[in-house]
């Protein structure tokens, strides 16, 4: 990703989406406001970490070139991973908003 937020390819692979989320929070400091907007599908998969009360993790379903992938084999982005990337690194005083449509 360059300084203008462009990535090497416009295709939103799992790796590019994760890199972009990491970029969003990497230099965040108190007083900053961050916005993540996701327009896509979600699903539930078995909670292998046993940390969800309902027994399922929420996932963002991604496209893999020509087909939508709905699975628990690492091709989606699980809610625990989203928390790890987007929330855990933030300091107090940073406003973060996530919207899904």
């Amino acid at each position: 990703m360059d300084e203008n937020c462009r990535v090497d390819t416009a295709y939103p692979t799992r790796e590019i989406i994760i890199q972009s989320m990491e970029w969003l929070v990497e230099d965040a400091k108190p007083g900053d406001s961050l916005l993540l907007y996701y327009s896509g599908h979600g699903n539930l998969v078995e909670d292998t970490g046993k940390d969800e009360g309902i027994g399922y993790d929420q996932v963002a379903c991604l496209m893999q070139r020509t087909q939508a992938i709905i699975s628990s084999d690492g091709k989606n982005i699980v809610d625990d991973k989203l928390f790890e990337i987007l929330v855990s690194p933030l300091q107090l005083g940073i406003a973060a908003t996530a919207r899904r449509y």
Side-chain angles (χ1 to χ4, degrees), residues 36-42 98-101:
L36 174 71
Y37 180 91
Y38 174 72
S39 180
H41 295 280
R99 298 290 301 178
R100 182 182 72 88
Y101 290 96

Side-chain angles (χ1 to χ4, degrees), residues 35-85:
L35 172 66
L36 174 71
Y37 180 91
Y38 174 72
S39 180
H41 295 280
N43 199 15
L44 298 174
V45 296
E46 182 182 350
D47 174 25
T48 57
K50 306 301 180 203
D51 62 333
E52 303 287 344
I54 61 171
Y56 295 95
D57 277 312
Q58 297 176 34
V59 296
C61 299
L62 308 178
M63 296 294 293
Q64 296 295 323
R65 298 290 175 195
T66 60
Q67 62 184 6
I69 302 295
I70 302 175
S71 67
S72 58
D73 61 4
K75 294 180 182 173
N76 295 306
I77 303 177
V78 180
D79 58 358
D80 298 334
K81 183 70 170 176
L82 293 172
F83 186 88
E84 174 189 323
I85 295 169

